[in-house]
Amino acid sequence: MKRWVRILGFSFPFLTFGGIFIAIYLNPWFSLTENALSDMGSIKNPIGYVFNSLLVFLGFLGFVFGVEMLKEKRVTVLFPLGMVSLLLVGIFPEEYEPHSFFALSFYILLVADIFICGLKRVRKKKSVLIWLLGSPIVFIVMLYLTRVFDGLAIPELVGALFINAWIVYLTLEVEK
């Protein structure tokens, strides 16, 4: 694998969660339990461009990483498509109709990719079982958490954590 792809894979979680942390810091009104992450990108927020730019940036980098992983048959086409959805979440703030579609598509496509890849590899590698079982469990937990909290930020962060762990796993797997 190309060195820059490894660097991208290992740095993706830092970019993701570092960017989210900065956006939360810049928006002191934001509540993890009462808001969706996308509230920080609202057109009503004078600095909404900070969060939306992060999503566009991550979506682009994730797409590039996903295409490289697709070439190596490490992911399905769902991975880069999911990252395009993330990019489009940043382009269409929550007030615009396609926002919800793209936000949901991002999580569904990435979790489905993880499940399918786990299914394909479980016979060869038993350690992949965590991804095969983890993907539906994480998705169910995310759905459950939408009922527990008024906002969507915590379920979104659970999904983001799982997806970023998958990206690191893919990068480590290729290193071997």
Side-chain angles (χ1 to χ4, degrees):
M1 177 182 1
K2 299 171 187 155
R3 184 169 187 241
W4 66 267
V5 177
R6 282 194 303 271
I7 292 168
L8 178 56
F10 287 130
S11 64
F12 204 84
F14 296 102
L15 296 170
T16 299
F17 294 105
I20 290 171
F21 175 77
I22 290 168
I24 290 171
Y25 177 78
L26 293 173
N27 293 282
W29 53 266
F30 180 81
S31 166
L32 285 173
T33 58
E34 296 177 19
N35 294 104
L37 292 175
S38 291
D39 291 346
M40 292 186 286
S42 170
I43 58 174
K44 297 172 189 161
N45 183 359
I47 60 167
Y49 64 89
V50 172
F51 185 73
N52 292 332
S53 297
L54 172 68
L55 297 183
V56 170
F57 179 66
L58 291 172
F60 174 75
L61 291 180
F63 175 78
V64 170
F65 179 82
V67 168
E68 289 298 316
M69 291 294 106
L70 188 60
K71 287 179 189 174
E72 297 195 18
K73 298 184 180 2
R74 304 262 177 212
V75 298
T76 70
V77 71
L78 300 178
F79 188 102
L81 288 176
M83 289 300 179
V84 169
S85 291
L86 180 63
L87 184 148
L88 291 168
V89 171
I91 290 175
F92 295 102
E94 64 186 0
E95 290 84 3
Y96 296 101
E97 193 171 321
H99 175 87
S100 295
F101 172 78
F102 291 126
L104 192 55
S105 295
F106 165 70
Y107 287 106
I108 290 172
L109 291 169
L110 268 291
V111 171
D113 174 75
I114 296 167
F115 180 79
I116 292 166
C117 291
L119 200 56
K120 286 181 180 179
R121 296 183 191 145
V122 77
R123 283 196 178 122
K124 295 178 193 170
K125 246 179 146 179
K126 295 297 177 205
S127 63
V128 176
L129 199 58
I130 191 167
W131 302 109
L132 178 62
L133 297 175
S135 48
I137 291 169
V138 166
F139 195 73
I140 290 166
V141 167
M142 288 174 68
L143 289 175
Y144 171 74
L145 291 173
T146 64
R147 308 270 187 248
V148 174
F149 299 103
D150 291 334
L152 296 174
I154 291 177
E156 290 170 331
L157 288 170
V158 167
L161 186 62
F162 187 67
I163 291 164
N164 276 272
W166 174 243
I167 291 169
V168 171
Y169 172 80
L170 289 171
T171 307
L172 287 169
E173 184 181 59
V174 174
E175 288 251 314
K176 294 177 183 177

